Amino acid sequence: MISKANSNIRINTDRLWDSLMEMAKIGPGIAGGNNRQTLTDADSDARHLFQKWCLDIGCTMGVDRMGNMFAHYAGTDPDALPVYVGSHLDTQPTGGKYDGVLGVLAGLELIRSMHDANIRTKHPIVITNWSNEEGSRFAPPMLASGVFAGVYTLDWAYAKQDADGKRFDAELNRIGWCGNEDVGDRQMHAFFELHIEQGPILESENKDIGVVTHGQGLSWTQVTITGKAAHTGSTPMPMRKNAGLAMARVIEAVDAIAWSHKPDAVGAVGHMEIFPNSPNVVPDKAVFTVDFRSPDLAVITDMENRLVNDGKRIAQSMGVEIAFEKLGGFDPVTFDTDCVAAIRHAADTLGYSHRDLISGAGHDACWINRVAPTAMVMCPCVDGLSHNEAEDITKDWADAGANVLMHAVLQVAVIAE
Ligand code: HGY
Ligand code: MN
Ligand code: MN
């Protein structure tokens, strides 16, 4: 446990907030949020700023072959496995200022506060920025932490392409952030991630902290429908093979499948492309991504099976072809009970209201949980809104989350007296 003397340590909330606002200037969106997509020049600028801040407080920086960044703050026992703490700096195209970034910069603030208080821990502490958490430019999400956890191979990840056909490895090398460490070689004593909830529960229940015990599972399937291009004026309705209409009917089926497993399952199609995308051509091709999630693996499997069955039935009735490709996903996650207990103890000690939570969104912690004892801290966000430029949090929520993160980490990393 943390000694009485050190139990009073708190983060510098203004400094954390200033860092968040400084980082938010990189890759601005068009409506007050961020568009700092992975492996863009803006992502590189954010990485350089984060690296500068880490080196300024005496960290050493390591980078692996997926561009994952590891800022090492020495402990008193160099042989002790480090405690890792972090999240991601990349954002959605219409992302907010706090999704991922709060977790990375709260890790930085943790070290800054230890530095100010001249506190060292037995275990070193490593602040982490995981590449391509969002998966919006290079699917699937949590790609780099997935390679680190041994879920995906480096070559499989390197071959991922964006909408313009650019490969992951080519873009990583272009921005100069392909490191020389083998991915996944690092051993962790534990991993902690602070993240905004991205849902409405904590705010609606007026809770400061979410103690994340589980993460729901995720499944991404890419669907390709092939019909026949034809004139929208002169082609009789019965002769049409309308890939766009078939996509609309499959999307309707996705919604019905998710609702059939209410209240916990969710489903949506956020990415869709139509070809040739001309007002007077019956579409001959549609490509879209189905996102299913549930805390129950059997439900996810049922939703995936019903997507295929309903999709094939719809395609057959309309005379079009349909193909399915599993892009990625992960099973529901149970976080480490000791790490979860450290978070709950920190919240209690610091006097924050808290409740256990299942994470609705996916996070790097969901993969790292496979290779190290892992847990997450969550703070509320306004209206539960995220993946929207209007994403917002209060300074108090950031303060609570970062202080609980710090005390949980200090407890596990063991303060050197
Ligand atoms: O998709 C997710 O859940 C994460 O926000 N990338
Ligand atoms: Mn995130
Ligand atoms: Mn996100």
Side-chain angles (χ1 to χ4, degrees), residues 88 92 99 133-135 141-142 195 198 218 220 291 293 330 360-363 386-387:
H88 61 93
Q92 288 284 334
D99 173 358
E133 188 280 343
E134 292 295 356
M142 289 77 81
H195 206 287
Q198 300 181 295
L218 175 154
W220 275 16
D291 179 321
R293 312 212 187 183
F330 55 83
H363 303 285
S386 184
H387 286 194

Side-chain angles (χ1 to χ4, degrees), residues 2 82-86 106-107 110-111 114 121 123-126 189-193 339 342-343 346 377 402-415:
I2 294 176
V83 173
Y84 284 66
V85 54
L110 187 167
I111 302 294
M114 287 174 64
T121 47
H123 295 264
I125 295 174
V126 177
H189 182 55
F191 175 70
F192 288 91
E193 181 170 3
C339 289
I343 290 167
V377 191
N403 273 312
V404 168
L405 176 75
M406 176 166 66
H407 279 254
V409 167
L410 291 178
Q411 191 179 309
V412 174
V414 184
I415 292 178

Side-chain angles (χ1 to χ4, degrees), residues 63-346:
V63 184
D64 72 15
R65 290 192 171 83
M66 280 298 287
N68 296 317
M69 298 173 74
F70 304 101
H72 183 102
Y73 192 70
T76 56
D77 177 355
D79 298 327
L81 285 182
V83 173
Y84 284 66
V85 54
S87 191
H88 61 93
L89 293 174
D90 68 309
T91 76
Q92 288 284 334
T94 56
K97 297 192 281 282
Y98 310 100
D99 173 358
V101 186
L102 177 63
V104 176
L105 299 188
L108 171 68
E109 178 51 38
L110 187 167
I111 302 294
R112 283 170 165 171
S113 299
M114 287 174 64
H115 192 259
D116 291 349
N118 198 22
I119 287 178
R120 287 277 173 176
T121 47
K122 173 183 179 236
H123 295 264
I125 295 174
V126 177
I127 320 165
T128 309
N129 169 33
W130 298 106
S131 302
N132 189 36
E133 188 280 343
E134 292 295 356
S136 53
R137 185 182 177 198
F138 296 100
M142 289 77 81
L143 180 63
S145 52
V147 176
F148 186 93
V151 177
Y152 308 122
T153 66
L154 187 67
D155 289 344
W156 186 82
Y158 273 7
K160 289 297 165 187
Q161 294 184 18
D162 69 5
D164 299 325
K166 292 177 182 168
R167 279 173 55 105
F168 186 96
D169 54 349
E171 284 294 280
L172 183 62
N173 283 302
R174 182 185 66 79
I175 65 168
W177 281 99
C178 183
N180 54 16
E181 286 188 21
D182 286 334
V183 186
D185 273 3
R186 288 171 170 261
Q187 301 298 307
M188 302 179 178
H189 182 55
F191 175 70
F192 288 91
E193 181 170 3
L194 166 64
H195 206 287
I196 60 171
E197 179 196 343
Q198 300 181 295
I201 297 171
L202 294 176
E203 185 186 40
S204 65
E205 294 182 6
N206 198 22
K207 291 286 190 294
D208 302 316
I209 294 293
V211 179
V212 186
T213 57
H214 300 80
Q216 71 173 348
L218 175 154
S219 161
W220 275 16
T221 301
Q222 180 171 286
V223 183
T224 302
I225 296 176
T226 308
K228 188 176 182 181
H231 197 296
T232 51
S234 52
T235 309
M237 293 300 276
M239 286 177 63
R240 296 180 181 201
K241 295 185 183 297
N242 188 333
L245 178 60
M247 173 174 72
R249 290 181 178 165
V250 173
I251 292 174
E252 187 67 43
V254 166
D255 191 60
I257 290 167
W259 275 106
S260 75
H261 283 289
K262 69 179 185 289
D264 296 329
V266 290
V269 171
H271 153 256
M272 51 188 93
E273 296 170 68
I274 202 156
F275 305 88
N277 202 24
S278 166
N280 45 6
V281 179
V282 175
D284 64 347
K285 187 177 176 187
V287 182
F288 53 105
T289 304
V290 178
D291 179 321
F292 279 134
R293 312 212 187 183
S294 168
D296 182 338
L297 182 56
V299 169
I300 292 175
T301 305
D302 177 64
M303 293 197 286
E304 288 173 333
N305 293 337
R306 285 169 59 185
L307 167 64
V308 173
N309 295 337
D310 289 1
K312 284 180 176 173
R313 177 179 45 76
I314 290 165
Q316 190 175 18
S317 70
M318 297 180 68
V320 297
E321 299 298 316
I322 192 167
F324 305 87
E325 180 193 349
K326 182 79 181 283
L327 291 185
F330 55 83
D331 296 352
V333 166
T334 301
F335 288 116
D336 177 82
T337 47
D338 292 338
C339 289
V340 170
I343 290 167
R344 198 175 288 118
H345 176 74

